[in-house]
């Protein structure tokens, strides 16, 4: 359990957090219409008559959207409900032409599941998921297009969302951050959501309450639509502190909906429970209940790829360090690239060290990402092989890698053209050693008089004279022979 605490005037307070994550389903078409879902299209160019709620239009569930939500449920080990139903959530707003959102209140598609997290500086924990239900997104109001009017863009109207509701199981900003990152990774591995928080494909409602350790849960507030992991962590810190100060000064926390202002890093009241909507939920009469058959579920299950936790364990079994395994499996693009490298005959441990140190270093320097990685797994494998079989030294490999990044050429071509092969030719190595020993007669005398640490100096000088291309093993052996 986390020992994160807010230190108040009356002692220590524990923070309780539950997250409701809205994740846009990856699908070419909307939840109940055939309209496209691509991000960034001109306003109102991806709107069918269903999405615009023209009278008499009927919704038809999109099999792919349901499939994605089921696959997501399976990926967090959740109970999949073979029978579920859509409900209408009724409210009026200018971005909602139907006058209701089709959602699932009473019988969600996915029931209880869980996500394993390893928060930074904390111990591993299992965070419960209460449910995942499927619902429509609303349109978007645009207030900055005209001096006296607001416009509405219905492109998002009807796009399928998964609402992933956690249990109130998190106890610190770090745990909430780790949960969101892990959930995002799982969704991206599965391919059910692109996880792009900047484009709004994933956003979180953050429920926070405080209590004295051991007490009952306190009253929570819900901060809506927070669109980055960092912001979610900020909201929790800020909101927990605000609640503690409020209670300690004699006030009570109102169950209310709040908004986060990232520019000022504060939350403020949006609406209180008193004016909370009565949504008059009822089963949507236009839609039959969803009934999933075994063949559909079997296909969904078969399509789930190896997930981050399993992949990480597999990497560790291959001798890869826990740290490297964690880094290499954190993002689906990285894991895909590294799996392709492993599929060649590289040594897993050597390959992981090189990838994390050299490749990631280069990506950081150049601002590239794994998705735009300029080096293919096959080219990386060739470079590693040249080091493993002694064709080039480790230090020359760094030079070769720099040139690979510049030209995109394979390592072998660069090594050949620039004559970078490591030499074990004792004739050439002996000749250099003789030169260095005669130029440094004083140091040779010191060495022979017992100054053992000078050996490294002779190795270094020889390697330098041979432009890093001498086989270090041979250099060591010849030096020992000559120095006696
Ligand atoms: P609602 O439907 O009103 O939003 P739910 O019971 O579905 O209420 O809870 C919504 C979210 O609030 C869930 O993620 C849940 O974990 C979280 N939650 C519930 N109670 C608390 C609490 N006391 N403190 C913090 N989070 C809570
Ligand atoms: Mg809620």
């Amino acid at each position: 359990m986390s020992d994160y605490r807010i230190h108040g005037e009356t002692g220590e307070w524990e923070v309780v957090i539950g997250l409701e994550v809205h994740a846009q389903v990856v699908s070419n078409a909307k939840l109940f219409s055939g309209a496209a879902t691509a991000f960034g299209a001109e306003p109102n160019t991806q709107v069918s008559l269903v999405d615009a709620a023209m009278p008499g239009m009927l919704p038809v569930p999109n099999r792919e959207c349901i499939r994605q939500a089921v696959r997501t449920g399976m990926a967090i080990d959740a109970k999949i409900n073979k029978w579920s139903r859509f409900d209408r959530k009724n409210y009026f707003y200018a971005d909602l032409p139907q006058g209701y959102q089709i959602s699932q209140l009473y019988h969600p598609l996915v029931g209880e599941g869980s996500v394993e997290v390893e928060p930074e500086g904390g111990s591993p924990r299992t965070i419960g998921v209460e449910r995942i239900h499927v619902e429509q997104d609303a349109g978007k109001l645009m207030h900055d297009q005209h001096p006296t009017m607001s416009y509405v863009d219905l492109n998002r109207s009807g796009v399928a969302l998964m609402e992933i509701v956690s249990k109130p199981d998190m106890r610190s900003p770090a745990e909430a951050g780790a949960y969101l990152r892990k959930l995002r990774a799982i969704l991206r591995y599965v391919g059910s959501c692109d996880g792009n928080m900047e484009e709004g494909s994933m956003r979180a409602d953050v429920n926070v309450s405080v209590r004295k350790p051991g007490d009952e849960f306190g009253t929570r507030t819900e901060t809506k639509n927070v669109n980055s992991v960092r912001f979610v962590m900020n909201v929790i810190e800020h909101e927990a502190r605000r609640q503690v100060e409020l209670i300690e000064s004699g006030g009570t926390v109102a169950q209310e909906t709040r908004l986060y202002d990232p520019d000022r890093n504060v939350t403020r009241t949006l609406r209180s429970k008193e004016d909370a909507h009565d949504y008059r939920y009822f089963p949507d009469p236009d839609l039959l209940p969803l009934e999933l058959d075994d063949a559909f579920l079997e296909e969904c299950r078969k399509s789930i790829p190896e997930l981050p936790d399993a992949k990480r364990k597999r990497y560790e079994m291959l001798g890869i360090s826990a740290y490297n395994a964690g880094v290499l499996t954190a993002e689906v693009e990285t894991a895909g690239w590294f799996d392709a490298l492993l599929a060649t005959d590289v040594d897993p441990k050597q390959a992981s060290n090189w990838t994390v140190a050299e490749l990631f270093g280069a990506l950081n320097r150049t601002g590239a990402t794994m998705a735009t990685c300029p080096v293919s797994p096959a080219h990386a494998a060739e470079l590693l092989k040249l080091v493993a079989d002694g064709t080039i030294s480790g230090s020359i490999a760094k030079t070769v890698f720099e040139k690979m990044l510049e030209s995109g050429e394979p390592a072998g071509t660069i090594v050949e053209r620039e004559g970078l092969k490591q030499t074990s030719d004792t004739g050439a190595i002996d000749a250099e050693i003789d030169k260095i020993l005669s130029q440094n007669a004083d140091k040779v005398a010191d060495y022979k008089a017992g100054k053992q640490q000078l050996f490294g100096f002779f190795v270094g000088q020889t390697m330098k004279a041979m432009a890093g291309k001498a086989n270090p093993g041979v250099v060591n052996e010849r030096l020992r022979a000559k120095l006696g």
Side-chain angles (χ1 to χ4, degrees):
M1 191 72 19
S2 159
D3 46 13
Y4 178 84
R5 293 286 185 270
I6 303 279
H7 308 284
E9 281 166 10
T10 61
E12 309 234 299
W13 294 80
E14 187 179 48
V15 185
V16 174
I17 305 144
L19 296 177
E20 295 163 272
V21 172
H22 292 264
Q24 183 175 328
V25 172
V26 171
S27 154
N28 293 330
K30 294 184 181 179
L31 182 53
F32 298 115
S33 86
T37 58
F39 177 79
E42 282 293 300
N44 298 310
T45 54
Q46 299 180 158
V47 186
S48 77
L49 296 174
V50 174
D51 312 320
M54 288 295 134
M57 291 296 120
L58 289 172
V60 179
N62 176 346
R63 184 185 172 94
E64 181 60 15
C65 296
I66 304 303
R67 180 175 171 271
Q68 291 286 40
V70 168
R71 295 173 69 243
T72 304
M74 288 173 169
I76 59 163
D77 269 329
K79 177 172 187 294
I80 308 299
N81 294 320
K82 291 177 81 172
W83 192 96
S84 67
R85 200 179 64 190
F86 288 104
D87 303 302
R88 286 188 182 177
K89 179 181 183 178
N90 299 282
Y91 65 95
F92 173 82
Y93 202 64
D95 64 8
L96 187 79
Q98 283 176 152
Y100 56 85
Q101 176 195 31
I102 306 179
S103 181
Q104 296 188 304
L105 178 66
Y106 303 107
H107 298 280
L109 182 60
V110 178
E112 292 188 345
S114 62
V115 175
E116 305 294 329
V117 301
E118 280 178 45
E120 237 167 87
S123 21
R125 291 206 49 217
T126 302
I127 306 300
V129 169
E130 187 69 49
R131 57 193 273 155
I132 303 178
H133 62 258
V134 181
E135 63 186 24
Q136 300 174 299
D137 205 349
K140 185 176 82 180
L141 291 182
M142 297 183 290
H143 302 293
D144 54 359
Q145 310 281 310
H146 189 280
T148 58
M149 287 190 282
S150 287
Y151 288 176
V152 63
D153 173 10
L154 292 181
N155 281 352
R156 248 172 40 197
S157 167
V159 164
L161 301 177
M162 297 179 277
E163 180 167 335
I164 306 163
V165 183
S166 88
K167 297 192 177 176
D169 281 355
M170 289 157 274
R171 295 290 178 270
S172 69
E175 280 183 10
Y179 169 79
L180 269 181
R181 285 198 192 94
K182 187 61 167 292
L183 188 62
R184 180 174 176 274
I186 293 172
L187 294 172
R188 298 183 75 240
Y189 267 66
V190 168
S192 60
C193 170
D194 67 24
N196 193 329
M197 296 190 84
E198 282 117 68
E199 292 178 1
S201 321
M202 199 176 146
R203 46 194 196 262
D205 297 346
V206 186
N207 296 273
V208 177
S209 65
V210 296
R211 65 172 175 184
K212 287 287 174 68
D215 279 4
E216 302 276 288
F217 281 164
T219 305
R220 74 189 149 102
T221 63
E222 178 179 4
T223 303
K224 285 283 199 193
N225 277 330
V226 186
N227 68 351
S228 88
V229 175
R230 172 56 41 198
F231 289 168
V232 167
M233 293 169 71
N234 289 349
V235 163
I236 295 165
E237 254 183 74
H238 168 272
E239 187 52 23
R241 206 167 294 278
R242 188 191 68 85
Q243 291 181 10
V244 166
E245 280 165 17
L246 184 64
I247 297 169
E248 289 191 333
S249 63
T252 47
V253 176
Q255 186 173 342
E256 62 183 5
T257 304
R258 302 179 69 87
L259 272 189
Y260 177 60
D261 177 351
D263 297 328
R264 294 168 52 222
N265 191 27
V266 296
T267 64
R268 56 188 163 78
T269 303
L270 178 67
R271 54 174 182 265
S272 72
K273 190 73 180 173
E274 285 83 73
D275 40 67
H277 305 266
D278 177 356
Y279 292 114
R280 306 254 165 159
Y281 277 99
F282 60 83
D284 192 306
D286 289 341
L287 288 158
L288 289 169
L290 271 180
E291 290 188 62
L292 310 180
D293 62 35
D294 292 334
F296 178 78
L297 292 176
E298 184 54 23
E299 187 282 319
C300 288
R301 200 170 294 284
K302 278 202 182 124
S303 75
I304 310 278
E306 184 182 41
L307 294 168
D309 287 340
K311 201 182 281 292
R312 181 173 167 174
K313 282 195 195 101
R314 179 165 65 83
Y315 285 1
E316 287 184 37
M317 298 286 281
L318 292 172
I320 294 172
S321 72
Y323 174 80
N324 282 354
V327 178
L328 290 166
T329 54
E331 289 289 340
V332 64
E333 287 87 3
T334 312
W337 189 96
F338 190 69
D339 270 340
L341 178 58
L342 282 182
T344 65
D345 58 357
V346 290
D347 170 61
K349 194 174 164 157
Q350 182 208 14
S352 76
N353 289 337
W354 180 85
T355 303
V356 171
E358 303 297 329
L359 181 62
F360 287 6
L363 294 180
N364 275 342
R365 273 201 312 280
T366 58
T369 64
M370 221 49 193
T372 57
C373 181
V375 179
S376 70
H379 278 189
E382 186 189 334
L383 177 66
L384 289 171
K385 196 149 185 284
L386 292 173
V387 179
D389 69 11
T391 307
I392 58 174
S393 65
S395 65
I396 288 291
K398 290 183 203 283
T399 313
V400 174
F401 180 52
E402 286 306 321
K403 291 180 193 283
M404 287 167 68
L405 287 169
E406 281 162 25
S407 68
E409 288 173 306
T413 309
I414 295 166
V415 168
E416 277 305 324
R417 188 184 56 231
E418 318 226 340
L420 295 173
K421 269 191 193 155
Q422 173 167 276
T423 179
S424 302
D425 173 356
T426 43
I429 292 172
D430 277 354
E432 288 301 337
I433 289 178
D434 290 343
K435 246 188 271 169
I436 283 155
L437 295 186
S438 68
Q439 282 162 8
N440 295 281
D442 51 337
K443 293 209 170 63
V444 173
D446 288 350
Y447 177 82
K448 289 192 169 154
K451 225 175 155 193
Q452 296 283 315
Q453 63 269 38
L454 278 170
F455 192 78
F457 166 80
F458 297 125
V459 174
Q461 290 297 303
T462 313
M463 292 302 286
K464 198 169 148 200
M466 299 200 62
K469 286 181 281 182
N471 180 326
V474 178
V475 170
N476 270 273
E477 180 206 305
R478 297 307 302 153
L479 268 169
R480 272 189 214 292
K482 285 179 187 287
L483 288 166

